[in-house]
Amino acid sequence: MEEEQKLVKEGTNLEGSESETKLELTVDEVVEEYVGSLGFSQMVHVLLVSLAWIFDAQSTLATIFSDAQPPVWRCKTGLCQGNNNNNSTGSVCGLVPGTWEWVGGNTSSIIAEWNLVCDRRFLAAVPASVYFLGSLIGSGVYGHLSDSLLGRKKTVQLSCILTSITAFATSLSPNIWIYAFFRFANGFARSGIGISCLVLTTESVGCKWRGQVGQYGFFFFTIGFLTLPLVAYPTRTCWRNLYKLLSLLPLAYSVLLLPLVSESPRWLLIRGRSKEALQVLDKFARLNGKKKLPDNLSLVNPCGSQNGESDETSPNNNKENLWTTKWAAIRMVTVMLSGFGVGFVYYGVQLNVENLNFNLYVSVAINALMEIPAVVIGTFLLGFTNRRLLLSMSSYIAAVSSILCTFLSHKGSTSKVHNNNSGNWGQLIIEAIGFMGASTAFDILYIYCVELFPTNVRNFAVSMLRQALMLGASVAPLLVVLGRLSPSISFLVFGVLAISSGVLSICLPETRNAPLYETLKQQEEEEKHNWVSHNDCALEMGK
C-alpha cells in the first residue's frame, strides 16, 4: 500500500490497480505523454481529412476555365465589315451579331455561350464574385456549426455533400443569372471544408507538429489545383461537363472515406463529452503502438465539466464570446484585415492568369506547381521560424513580384490570342514567384489563426478569417475583368494590398511553441502570466 501511494504521488499509474486516485491531465499532456505528438494514427487521420482539400481547390478554381474568355474568333462568311481575317485578333464589339463565331465553339465557356463581351463583359465577373460571397457567408455558418452543434467531422461531411449537389446543379444552368446563383450556392457549400479540416487535423497532434500538419492540407489543395487543368482540358469544348465531373469526387469521399475519421477530442471535451474524447485518444494511442490509457485517467475540462457525462447544455460551454472579449476582438479584426489583402492577392493572381501573355493551361499548371515549394518551404520554416516574420516576408515577396509584373504587362484586348509557342516568360516567372509568396502567406495565416485563439472559439475564429479571405477574393474577379483592358493596373493593386497585409501582421503576437488554450479566459490569464514572466526575466537580465 505504501508503495502504491508513493507511485500515485509521483504521478504514475500501477497497471491493473483499482486506485480511486484520479489522474487529471489536459489533452496536450495526454497527447505528449501517452499518445505521441505525431504517430501513425495521427498521420493516417491527417491524410484522410486533408484529402477533402482537393475538392475545395477544384471547386474554387473551376472558373479559371469555365469563365475564361475564348482566345480566338473568326468570321462566319470570311468578311466581317471589312475585316477579312478568319482568325482575328481584333475586337468583335463593332461587328454585326451573327457574322462571327468563337473558334472553340459556343459551349467552351460561359462567355462564349452567353456572349459576355463588350458592354456585357463585367457580367462575366459576377459568378466568381458571388461564389466568394457565398463562401464568406458560409464560413460564418459553418464556423458556428463546427464549434457548437455538429463538430468538425460532421461539418466536413455536410459541406462535401452539398458541394457535390451544387456543382452538379451548376452544370444545368440555362443562363448567366441561374449560373451565378448556383455558383453562390456552391461557394456557400464548400466553405465548411477548409476551415473544419484545418482545425480537425491540428487538434489531434502535439504542439511541435501543429504548423507542419496544418501545411499538409494546403499540399492537398495544391494537388487539387494541379489536377484541375487535367480535368478541364478534356472538357474544354463543354464547360458543363467540367462541373459534372467535379461533382463526383466529394460525394464519394464523404460516403467512403470520411466515416473512418475520428472527431476532435478537444471539441468533444469542451462539449462535456469527455468519455468520447478519451476513447478517441485511446484509439490514437493503441494505433501508435502505445499502451492503453490508464483507467483512472480523466481530462481536465476548462469549461468546468470534469465528469464523463454529456454536458452540452452547460452555460459554461457557451457563455464566452469572441467579440465581447476586448483582446480577442482586436486580434480578430487585425487577422481579418490582413486576411482580406492575402485573399485578394492569392485568389486574384490565380484568376488573373488569363491576362498573362501566355497559354492559359500552361500558366495555370505553372502556378499550381509553385504551390508545392510554397507548402514545402512553409512546412520547413514553420519548424523554427516565427509565424509573424514568415507571414510578413511572404506578403512582401508577393508585393514586390506583383509590382514588377506591372512593368512587363502588355495591354490586352477582348480577343487576344494565347499562343502556345510565344509568350512573356519573364512576366510568367515573376508572376509565379509572386504567387508562391501569396500562397505561403495564405497557408501561414491559417496556421497562425489556429494558434491565436482557444478551442471554444477556434473554428469560429478560423471561419472569420475565411470570411475576410473570401471578401478579398470576391472583389478580385472585378479587377481581373479590368485587367483584360489594362493588366498593369491589376498587378499594381495586388502589390499594394500585399504590402498592407505584411504590415498588419506585425501587430499580432508570436505563437511559435505556444500551447493551444481551451477557453478565452484561460488564454488571457496564461498570456498575461507569460508576458509578466517575460518582463521579469528581462529586468533580471538587465540588472
Side-chain angles (χ1 to χ4, degrees), residues 287-470:
L287 289 176
N288 285 345
K290 306 286 186 176
K291 294 181 180 180
K292 185 179 182 297
L293 297 183
D295 293 333
N296 63 340
L297 175 64
S298 64
L299 296 174
V300 177
N301 190 340
C303 294
S305 175
Q306 297 181 8
N307 54 41
E309 303 300 323
S310 177
D311 189 26
E312 296 190 24
T313 59
S314 172
N316 290 327
N317 285 347
N318 301 298
K319 67 180 181 180
E320 290 191 316
N321 187 293
L322 186 149
W323 294 119
T324 58
T325 305
K326 185 177 179 180
W327 68 268
I330 294 173
R331 186 176 296 183
M332 189 75 257
V333 170
T334 305
V335 170
M336 292 178 68
L337 288 174
S338 181
F340 175 84
V342 171
F344 189 99
V345 176
Y346 177 75
Y347 287 109
V349 169
Q350 292 179 75
L351 298 175
N352 200 51
V353 292
E354 66 172 274
N355 292 325
L356 295 174
N357 187 27
F358 222 89
N359 177 270
L360 179 61
Y361 292 90
V362 174
S363 299
V364 172
I366 290 177
N367 269 357
L369 287 172
M370 294 306 289
E371 289 254 30
I372 296 176
V375 173
V376 172
I377 292 172
T379 302
F380 174 72
L381 292 179
L382 276 171
F384 59 87
T385 306
N386 289 349
R387 276 64 165 140
R388 183 169 52 191
L389 175 63
L390 192 54
L391 175 59
S392 60
M393 292 305 298
S394 300
S395 299
Y396 296 149
I397 291 173
V400 172
S401 298
S402 295
I403 292 174
L404 286 176
C405 281
T406 63
F407 299 105
L408 298 172
S409 298
H410 299 286
K411 186 175 180 180
S413 66
T414 58
S415 55
K416 64 184 178 183
V417 176
H418 297 272
N419 194 307
N420 290 331
N421 301 316
S422 66
N424 192 332
W425 274 101
Q427 185 192 40
L428 180 62
I429 292 172
I430 293 174
E431 184 270 349
I433 293 173
F435 176 69
M436 184 181 70
S439 177
T440 303
F442 186 90
D443 298 351
I444 298 301
L445 188 55
Y446 265 119
I447 305 300
Y448 203 4
C449 186
V450 167
E451 297 178 341
L452 284 169
F453 299 94
T455 301
N456 64 337
V457 295
R458 183 172 297 123
N459 221 93
F460 178 74
V462 175
S463 72
M464 295 305 296
L465 168 61
R466 184 64 168 260
Q467 285 183 304
L469 291 165
M470 293 304 103

Side-chain angles (χ1 to χ4, degrees), residues 236-295:
R236 62 191 179 280
T237 59
C238 184
W239 64 267
R240 298 177 186 273
N241 291 338
L242 174 61
Y243 285 104
K244 289 176 181 176
L245 285 176
L246 295 181
S247 69
L248 299 177
L249 293 178
L251 181 62
Y253 168 79
S254 62
V255 173
L256 300 177
L257 296 180
L258 197 54
L260 304 177
V261 172
S262 300
E263 181 56 90
S264 166
R266 295 179 185 273
W267 179 82
L268 292 170
L269 177 62
I270 66 168
R271 298 303 295 175
R273 297 159 60 178
S274 59
K275 283 186 177 179
E276 294 177 61
L278 278 171
Q279 289 173 358
V280 172
L281 292 171
D282 185 63
K283 175 184 175 182
F284 283 157
R286 286 185 286 105
L287 289 176
N288 285 345
K290 306 286 186 176
K291 294 181 180 180
K292 185 179 182 297
L293 297 183
D295 293 333

Side-chain angles (χ1 to χ4, degrees), residues 12 42-43 47 51 79 119 130 134-135 144 146 186 189 193 232 249 251 259-260 266 300 376 403 447 454 464 537:
T12 59
Q42 290 127 307
M43 287 191 287
L47 172 64
L51 286 172
L79 183 63
D119 58 337
V130 298
S135 296
H144 175 72
S146 183
N186 191 237
I193 296 177
L249 293 178
L251 181 62
L260 304 177
R266 295 179 185 273
V300 177
V376 172
I403 292 174
I447 305 300
M464 295 305 296
C537 181

